[in-house]
Amino acid sequence: MMNTTHGAVGVALASVTVVFLPEFAVVAAVAALLGSVFPDLDLFAGVHRRTLHFPVLGWVVALPATAWAALSPSTPSVGVAFFSLGAAAHAAMDAAGAGHELRPWDRTSEKAVYAHVPGRWIAPRRWIRYDGAPEDLGLMGVVTVPSLLLYSGPVRGIMLAALGVSIVYTAYRKRMPDLTPEWLK
C-alpha cells in the first residue's frame, strides 16, 4: 500500500482521541502518522518489509502501550501508544497488499512482510493489488474521512495534502519502475 494510505490509517485510528481525549488529539495524530510511515524507512536501512516491519511483535508493544495511555493519559503515553499502533497496523496492512517487488502487478514475489517470531515471510494476500492501485487510492480516501471531519488546522491540511499526493502517485505508479534509479532496485 501507499505510504500515504498507511499514514491515513494511523491518523484515522488517532481520531478517536478527538472525542475521548481532545487535549491529546494532535499528539495522537502526529504520533500515529509518524508511526504509520516509520516502517518504510527500512527501504534505506536494510531489507524492506523486514528490518522495521513487525506484523506480530508490533502488537506486543502496541497493545500494552494503548492500555497505558487509556489508564494514564499523558503526552508520552498517548504518543507512544499511537506511534506503536500506527507501526503495527502498517506491518499488518502490508500482508494484505502485494508482494515485495518493483512491479507488484506482475506477481513475481510471494514475500509480503517478514514475521520475526516464526522467522518467515508472510505471503501477500493482494486484497490491494499493489501500492498505488485504484483500490489503494479508494482505501486512502475512505480512511481520510474521519480525519477531515474531526480535525481542523494542520492535521486536516496534512491529510488533504496526502490525499493529493496519493492521487498523483496513483496516476503515475505503473510508469515508476522505469524511472527508478538502479541503486533502489
Side-chain angles (χ1 to χ4, degrees):
M1 283 177 223
M2 295 182 287
N3 205 277
T4 52
T5 304
H6 290 301
V9 167
V11 177
L13 290 171
S15 66
V16 69
T17 60
V18 174
V19 176
F20 296 107
L21 295 168
E23 65 274 24
F24 299 111
V26 172
V27 168
V30 170
L33 179 62
L34 293 175
S36 296
V37 301
F38 174 78
D40 277 344
L41 290 177
D42 68 8
L43 272 165
F44 310 104
V47 178
H48 182 50
R49 292 192 181 179
R50 179 177 180 155
T51 308
L52 297 176
H53 287 65
F54 299 96
V56 176
L57 291 176
W59 296 105
V60 172
V61 173
L63 295 177
T66 302
W68 173 41
L71 296 172
S72 182
S74 65
T75 298
S77 68
V78 170
V80 168
F82 283 99
F83 183 94
S84 59
L85 279 170
H90 177 126
M93 289 167 59
D94 276 347
H100 173 54
E101 55 200 318
L102 193 58
R103 291 176 172 84
W105 47 87
D106 289 341
R107 296 181 172 219
T108 59
S109 175
E110 288 304 312
K111 295 179 177 179
V113 64
Y114 191 77
H116 295 81
V117 173
R120 65 175 178 78
W121 285 90
I122 296 172
R125 304 294 190 278
R126 295 186 173 95
W127 297 334
I128 302 291
R129 293 173 296 150
Y130 56 89
D131 62 300
E135 61 272 18
D136 190 4
L137 179 59
L139 177 60
M140 168 60 180
V142 168
V143 297
T144 301
V145 170
S147 307
L148 297 178
L149 293 176
L150 296 172
Y151 283 98
S152 61
V155 174
R156 182 182 289 160
I158 289 167
M159 296 316 299
L160 283 171
L163 189 54
V165 166
S166 299
I167 291 167
V168 172
Y169 183 81
T170 298
Y172 289 98
R173 172 59 177 104
K174 285 206 168 180
R175 296 179 200 138
M176 294 181 95
D178 298 328
L179 305 172
T180 303
E182 282 301 315
W183 63 272
L184 266 179
K185 291 182 181 178

